[in-house]
Short mmCIF file of all heavy atoms in Angstrom, two decimals:
data_model
loop_
_atom_site.label_atom_id
_atom_site.label_comp_id
_atom_site.label_asym_id
_atom_site.label_seq_id
_atom_site.Cartn_x
_atom_site.Cartn_y
_atom_site.Cartn_z
N GLY A 1 140.43 163.31 250.27
CA GLY A 1 139.15 163.89 249.85
C GLY A 1 138.15 162.85 249.39
O GLY A 1 136.95 163.13 249.28
N LEU A 2 138.64 161.63 249.09
CA LEU A 2 137.76 160.52 248.75
C LEU A 2 137.39 159.74 250.01
O LEU A 2 138.18 159.64 250.95
CB LEU A 2 138.45 159.56 247.76
CG LEU A 2 138.82 160.12 246.39
CD1 LEU A 2 139.63 159.09 245.61
CD2 LEU A 2 137.58 160.51 245.60
N THR A 3 136.19 159.17 250.03
CA THR A 3 135.75 158.36 251.16
C THR A 3 135.23 157.02 250.66
O THR A 3 134.69 156.93 249.55
CB THR A 3 134.63 159.07 251.95
OG1 THR A 3 133.48 159.24 251.10
CG2 THR A 3 135.10 160.43 252.45
N PRO A 4 135.36 155.96 251.46
CA PRO A 4 134.86 154.65 251.04
C PRO A 4 133.38 154.65 250.70
O PRO A 4 132.94 153.90 249.82
CB PRO A 4 135.16 153.75 252.26
CG PRO A 4 136.31 154.42 252.94
CD PRO A 4 136.10 155.89 252.74
N GLY A 5 132.60 155.49 251.39
CA GLY A 5 131.17 155.54 251.13
C GLY A 5 130.82 155.94 249.71
O GLY A 5 129.75 155.57 249.20
N GLU A 6 131.70 156.71 249.05
CA GLU A 6 131.44 157.13 247.67
C GLU A 6 131.40 155.95 246.71
O GLU A 6 130.79 156.04 245.64
CB GLU A 6 132.52 158.12 247.21
CG GLU A 6 132.55 159.45 247.93
CD GLU A 6 133.62 160.35 247.37
OE1 GLU A 6 133.44 160.85 246.24
OE2 GLU A 6 134.65 160.55 248.04
N PHE A 7 132.06 154.86 247.07
CA PHE A 7 132.15 153.71 246.19
C PHE A 7 131.00 152.71 246.39
O PHE A 7 130.88 151.77 245.62
CB PHE A 7 133.48 152.99 246.40
CG PHE A 7 134.68 153.80 245.97
CD1 PHE A 7 135.27 154.70 246.84
CD2 PHE A 7 135.22 153.64 244.71
CE1 PHE A 7 136.38 155.45 246.46
CE2 PHE A 7 136.33 154.38 244.31
CZ PHE A 7 136.90 155.28 245.19
N ALA A 8 130.19 152.93 247.42
CA ALA A 8 129.07 152.03 247.67
C ALA A 8 128.07 152.11 246.52
O ALA A 8 127.62 153.19 246.14
CB ALA A 8 128.40 152.37 249.00
N GLY A 9 127.72 150.98 245.97
CA GLY A 9 126.76 150.94 244.89
C GLY A 9 127.31 151.29 243.52
O GLY A 9 126.59 151.23 242.53
N VAL A 10 128.60 151.65 243.44
CA VAL A 10 129.23 151.97 242.16
C VAL A 10 129.57 150.66 241.43
O VAL A 10 130.10 149.73 242.03
CB VAL A 10 130.49 152.83 242.35
CG1 VAL A 10 131.20 153.04 241.02
CG2 VAL A 10 130.13 154.17 242.96
N LYS A 11 129.25 150.59 240.16
CA LYS A 11 129.48 149.38 239.38
C LYS A 11 130.95 148.97 239.41
O LYS A 11 131.84 149.78 239.21
CB LYS A 11 129.04 149.59 237.93
CG LYS A 11 129.29 148.39 237.02
CD LYS A 11 128.92 148.72 235.57
CE LYS A 11 129.27 147.55 234.66
NZ LYS A 11 129.01 147.87 233.24
N ARG A 12 131.20 147.71 239.67
CA ARG A 12 132.53 147.12 239.59
C ARG A 12 132.71 146.57 238.18
O ARG A 12 132.16 145.51 237.86
CB ARG A 12 132.71 145.99 240.60
CG ARG A 12 133.08 146.44 242.01
CD ARG A 12 132.05 147.26 242.72
NE ARG A 12 132.33 147.33 244.15
CZ ARG A 12 132.20 148.39 244.90
NH1 ARG A 12 131.76 149.55 244.36
NH2 ARG A 12 132.47 148.35 246.19
N TRP A 13 133.46 147.26 237.38
CA TRP A 13 133.74 146.76 236.04
C TRP A 13 134.96 145.85 236.10
O TRP A 13 135.90 146.07 236.86
CB TRP A 13 134.01 147.93 235.09
CG TRP A 13 134.47 147.47 233.73
CD1 TRP A 13 133.70 147.16 232.66
CD2 TRP A 13 135.83 147.28 233.32
NE1 TRP A 13 134.49 146.77 231.61
CE2 TRP A 13 135.79 146.83 231.98
CE3 TRP A 13 137.05 147.43 233.95
CZ2 TRP A 13 136.95 146.54 231.27
CZ3 TRP A 13 138.21 147.13 233.25
CH2 TRP A 13 138.14 146.70 231.92
N VAL A 14 134.96 144.81 235.29
CA VAL A 14 136.08 143.89 235.26
C VAL A 14 136.43 143.56 233.81
O VAL A 14 135.54 143.45 232.94
CB VAL A 14 135.75 142.60 236.05
CG1 VAL A 14 134.55 141.88 235.46
CG2 VAL A 14 136.95 141.66 236.12
N GLY A 15 137.71 143.45 233.51
CA GLY A 15 138.17 143.11 232.17
C GLY A 15 139.46 142.32 232.22
O GLY A 15 140.16 142.30 233.24
N LEU A 16 139.79 141.66 231.12
CA LEU A 16 140.98 140.81 231.03
C LEU A 16 142.02 141.44 230.11
O LEU A 16 141.76 141.68 228.94
CB LEU A 16 140.62 139.42 230.51
CG LEU A 16 139.71 138.57 231.39
CD1 LEU A 16 139.35 137.28 230.67
CD2 LEU A 16 140.39 138.25 232.72
N ARG A 17 143.21 141.69 230.65
CA ARG A 17 144.31 142.18 229.84
C ARG A 17 145.08 140.97 229.29
O ARG A 17 145.42 140.05 230.05
CB ARG A 17 145.24 143.05 230.67
CG ARG A 17 144.54 144.11 231.51
CD ARG A 17 145.55 144.79 232.36
NE ARG A 17 145.04 145.69 233.34
CZ ARG A 17 144.86 145.38 234.64
NH1 ARG A 17 145.14 144.15 235.07
NH2 ARG A 17 144.41 146.28 235.48
N PRO A 18 145.41 140.95 228.01
CA PRO A 18 146.14 139.82 227.43
C PRO A 18 147.63 139.93 227.71
O PRO A 18 148.31 140.80 227.17
CB PRO A 18 145.84 139.92 225.94
CG PRO A 18 145.58 141.39 225.72
CD PRO A 18 145.02 141.95 226.99
N CYS A 19 148.16 139.06 228.57
CA CYS A 19 149.54 139.17 229.04
C CYS A 19 150.42 138.08 228.44
O CYS A 19 150.19 136.88 228.65
CB CYS A 19 149.59 139.06 230.56
SG CYS A 19 148.62 140.34 231.43
N SER A 20 151.46 138.48 227.72
CA SER A 20 152.46 137.55 227.20
C SER A 20 153.48 137.25 228.30
O SER A 20 153.60 138.01 229.26
CB SER A 20 153.15 138.14 225.97
OG SER A 20 153.99 139.22 226.36
N PRO A 21 154.27 136.18 228.19
CA PRO A 21 155.23 135.85 229.24
C PRO A 21 156.38 136.84 229.38
O PRO A 21 156.95 136.95 230.46
CB PRO A 21 155.76 134.47 228.83
CG PRO A 21 154.79 133.93 227.85
CD PRO A 21 154.20 135.12 227.17
N ASP A 22 156.74 137.54 228.31
CA ASP A 22 157.86 138.47 228.41
C ASP A 22 157.43 139.92 228.54
O ASP A 22 158.26 140.83 228.57
CB ASP A 22 158.81 138.30 227.22
CG ASP A 22 158.14 138.56 225.87
OD1 ASP A 22 156.93 138.87 225.84
OD2 ASP A 22 158.84 138.43 224.83
N GLY A 23 156.10 140.17 228.62
CA GLY A 23 155.62 141.52 228.80
C GLY A 23 155.62 142.36 227.54
O GLY A 23 155.38 143.56 227.60
N LEU A 24 155.88 141.75 226.38
CA LEU A 24 155.87 142.44 225.10
C LEU A 24 154.71 141.91 224.26
O LEU A 24 154.35 140.74 224.36
CB LEU A 24 157.18 142.23 224.35
CG LEU A 24 158.46 142.74 225.05
CD1 LEU A 24 159.69 142.36 224.22
CD2 LEU A 24 158.41 144.24 225.26
N PRO A 25 154.13 142.76 223.41
CA PRO A 25 153.03 142.27 222.57
C PRO A 25 153.50 141.33 221.48
O PRO A 25 154.70 141.26 221.16
CB PRO A 25 152.46 143.57 221.97
CG PRO A 25 153.52 144.58 222.09
CD PRO A 25 154.37 144.20 223.25
N TYR A 26 152.56 140.59 220.93
CA TYR A 26 152.76 139.83 219.70
C TYR A 26 152.31 140.70 218.54
O TYR A 26 151.17 141.17 218.51
CB TYR A 26 151.95 138.54 219.70
CG TYR A 26 152.27 137.57 220.82
CD1 TYR A 26 151.44 137.45 221.92
CD2 TYR A 26 153.40 136.77 220.75
CE1 TYR A 26 151.72 136.55 222.93
CE2 TYR A 26 153.70 135.87 221.77
CZ TYR A 26 152.86 135.77 222.85
OH TYR A 26 153.14 134.88 223.86
N LEU A 27 153.19 140.90 217.57
CA LEU A 27 152.82 141.76 216.45
C LEU A 27 153.58 141.32 215.20
O LEU A 27 154.79 141.50 215.10
CB LEU A 27 153.11 143.23 216.77
CG LEU A 27 152.73 144.27 215.72
CD1 LEU A 27 151.28 144.13 215.30
CD2 LEU A 27 152.98 145.67 216.25
N GLY A 28 152.85 140.75 214.26
CA GLY A 28 153.47 140.36 213.00
C GLY A 28 152.77 139.17 212.37
O GLY A 28 151.83 138.60 212.94
N PRO A 29 153.21 138.76 211.18
CA PRO A 29 152.62 137.62 210.48
C PRO A 29 152.90 136.31 211.19
O PRO A 29 153.91 136.17 211.88
CB PRO A 29 153.28 137.67 209.09
CG PRO A 29 154.02 138.94 209.01
CD PRO A 29 154.30 139.40 210.38
N VAL A 30 152.01 135.36 211.00
CA VAL A 30 152.20 134.01 211.53
C VAL A 30 153.18 133.26 210.63
O VAL A 30 153.01 133.26 209.40
CB VAL A 30 150.85 133.26 211.59
CG1 VAL A 30 151.06 131.80 211.98
CG2 VAL A 30 149.91 133.96 212.59
N PRO A 31 154.21 132.63 211.19
CA PRO A 31 155.16 131.87 210.36
C PRO A 31 154.45 130.82 209.52
O PRO A 31 153.66 130.03 210.02
CB PRO A 31 156.07 131.21 211.40
CG PRO A 31 155.98 132.09 212.62
CD PRO A 31 154.58 132.61 212.62
N GLY A 32 154.70 130.86 208.22
CA GLY A 32 154.06 129.92 207.30
C GLY A 32 152.69 130.32 206.84
O GLY A 32 152.11 129.69 205.95
N ARG A 33 152.14 131.36 207.44
CA ARG A 33 150.82 131.87 207.04
C ARG A 33 150.91 133.39 206.99
O ARG A 33 150.36 134.09 207.84
CB ARG A 33 149.73 131.44 208.01
CG ARG A 33 149.47 129.93 208.04
CD ARG A 33 148.43 129.58 209.07
NE ARG A 33 148.18 128.17 209.15
CZ ARG A 33 147.07 127.59 208.69
NH1 ARG A 33 146.13 128.30 208.13
NH2 ARG A 33 146.90 126.28 208.83
N GLU A 34 151.58 133.92 206.01
CA GLU A 34 151.91 135.33 205.95
C GLU A 34 150.69 136.23 205.81
O GLU A 34 150.78 137.43 206.07
CB GLU A 34 152.88 135.59 204.78
CG GLU A 34 154.21 134.85 204.91
CD GLU A 34 154.96 135.22 206.20
OE1 GLU A 34 155.12 136.42 206.45
OE2 GLU A 34 155.36 134.31 206.92
N ARG A 35 149.54 135.66 205.44
CA ARG A 35 148.32 136.46 205.33
C ARG A 35 147.58 136.60 206.65
O ARG A 35 146.58 137.30 206.73
CB ARG A 35 147.41 135.86 204.26
CG ARG A 35 148.03 135.86 202.86
CD ARG A 35 147.27 134.95 201.92
NE ARG A 35 145.95 135.46 201.61
CZ ARG A 35 145.03 134.79 200.91
NH1 ARG A 35 145.31 133.56 200.48
NH2 ARG A 35 143.85 135.33 200.67
N VAL A 36 148.06 135.90 207.67
CA VAL A 36 147.47 135.99 209.01
C VAL A 36 148.42 136.79 209.89
O VAL A 36 149.59 136.44 210.05
CB VAL A 36 147.22 134.60 209.62
CG1 VAL A 36 146.59 134.74 211.00
CG2 VAL A 36 146.32 133.78 208.70
N ILE A 37 147.92 137.87 210.49
CA ILE A 37 148.72 138.76 211.32
C ILE A 37 148.14 138.76 212.73
O ILE A 37 146.93 138.96 212.91
CB ILE A 37 148.72 140.19 210.74
CG1 ILE A 37 149.32 140.20 209.33
CG2 ILE A 37 149.48 141.15 211.65
CD1 ILE A 37 148.99 141.47 208.55
N VAL A 38 148.98 138.55 213.72
CA VAL A 38 148.55 138.60 215.11
C VAL A 38 148.93 139.95 215.70
O VAL A 38 150.06 140.42 215.53
CB VAL A 38 149.18 137.46 215.94
CG1 VAL A 38 148.84 137.62 217.43
CG2 VAL A 38 148.69 136.10 215.45
N ALA A 39 147.98 140.57 216.38
CA ALA A 39 148.21 141.84 217.09
C ALA A 39 147.53 141.72 218.46
O ALA A 39 146.34 142.02 218.61
CB ALA A 39 147.65 143.02 216.29
N SER A 40 148.28 141.28 219.44
CA SER A 40 147.68 140.98 220.75
C SER A 40 148.79 140.93 221.80
O SER A 40 149.96 141.10 221.50
CB SER A 40 146.92 139.65 220.69
OG SER A 40 146.16 139.44 221.86
N GLY A 41 148.37 140.69 223.07
CA GLY A 41 149.34 140.52 224.15
C GLY A 41 149.91 141.81 224.70
O GLY A 41 151.00 141.83 225.25
N HIS A 42 149.15 142.91 224.64
CA HIS A 42 149.64 144.22 225.07
C HIS A 42 149.53 144.44 226.58
O HIS A 42 149.98 145.47 227.08
CB HIS A 42 148.89 145.33 224.34
CG HIS A 42 149.09 145.37 222.87
ND1 HIS A 42 148.57 144.43 222.01
CD2 HIS A 42 149.76 146.26 222.08
CE1 HIS A 42 148.91 144.72 220.77
NE2 HIS A 42 149.63 145.82 220.78
#
């Protein structure tokens, strides 16, 4: 039911996903800096 013509002129949005090497997020305090918490890599 979709046709390629429908996509002509439609904005191509692009974004960057933060990828860790093991596919798991980083979540928790930084070693030695317990007041700094990283929440990323999802």
Side-chain angles (χ1 to χ4, degrees):
L2 297 173
T3 63
E6 295 181 72
F7 293 86
V10 175
K11 178 185 176 184
R12 277 64 164 139
W13 173 89
V14 60
L16 295 175
R17 312 175 188 98
C19 300
S20 70
D22 60 0
L24 299 176
Y26 299 103
L27 183 53
V30 173
R33 295 177 181 253
E34 299 301 309
R35 298 165 68 187
V36 181
I37 300 164
V38 174
S40 189
H42 296 71

